[in-house]
Amino acid sequence: MYADKQICGREPDSQYVELAAEVFGMLADATRVRIILALRDGELPVNQLAEMVRKSPAAVSQHLAKMRLGRLVTTRQDGTRVFYRLENEHASRLVTDAIFQAEHSLGGTPRHHHSESTDAS
């Protein structure tokens, strides 16, 4: 079991700790979190993303460029249009877990616990 943790980099002295902190830094922006949420169901062009996150296409493009450098998103070109999608499912899971944690900070029973109890029945 210990070997599994070491291979995956989940020990406090792992070489991945600093990189993980950089990922959190990349996600420490509400617009980028909204972009991740918008891309959960598939790829989208900049203009549609801009509408969904209620920012200008230029601002969204700047965020996407940083997210692409951080390997959170990737692109596909179709003619003159560029479509963005999540690089993998991990950023989406991080954002979902962060939202769940935010729900806990409000006190009471978080909404995600309500859906889990109805899912189980």
Side-chain angles (χ1 to χ4, degrees):
M1 182 148 111
Y2 177 79
D4 289 342
K5 284 186 194 176
Q6 194 66 359
I7 291 169
C8 292
R10 294 183 290 160
E11 290 300 309
D13 64 347
S14 167
Q15 63 182 347
Y16 299 106
V17 170
E18 283 77 17
L19 292 171
E22 288 181 25
V23 170
F24 283 122
M26 182 69 61
L27 295 175
D29 181 280
T31 299
R32 292 187 197 138
V33 169
R34 288 182 174 100
I35 289 170
I36 298 275
L37 291 171
L39 291 173
R40 284 182 304 182
D41 295 328
E43 62 183 20
L44 294 168
V46 173
N47 287 339
Q48 193 171 348
L49 274 170
E51 275 181 36
M52 293 174 80
V53 302
R54 297 184 178 170
K55 297 288 181 185
S56 72
V60 170
S61 289
Q62 288 180 352
H63 284 290
L64 287 166
K66 289 177 184 174
M67 293 169 75
R68 191 172 177 196
L69 284 173
R71 296 190 176 171
L72 297 176
V73 298
T74 188
T75 61
R76 176 183 67 84
Q77 190 149 356
D78 184 15
T80 59
R81 295 181 75 184
V82 177
F83 291 85
Y84 287 84
R85 68 180 177 276
L86 296 176
E87 178 80 30
N88 55 54
E89 76 282 358
H90 299 294
S92 179
R93 287 190 350 219
L94 279 170
V95 167
T96 298
D97 283 343
I99 288 173
F100 288 170
Q101 183 61 39
E103 288 179 356
H104 279 276
S105 71
L106 297 175
T109 304
R111 289 176 44 191
H112 64 274
H113 286 289
H114 291 292
S115 65
E116 288 173 3
S117 63
T118 59
D119 289 345
S121 46

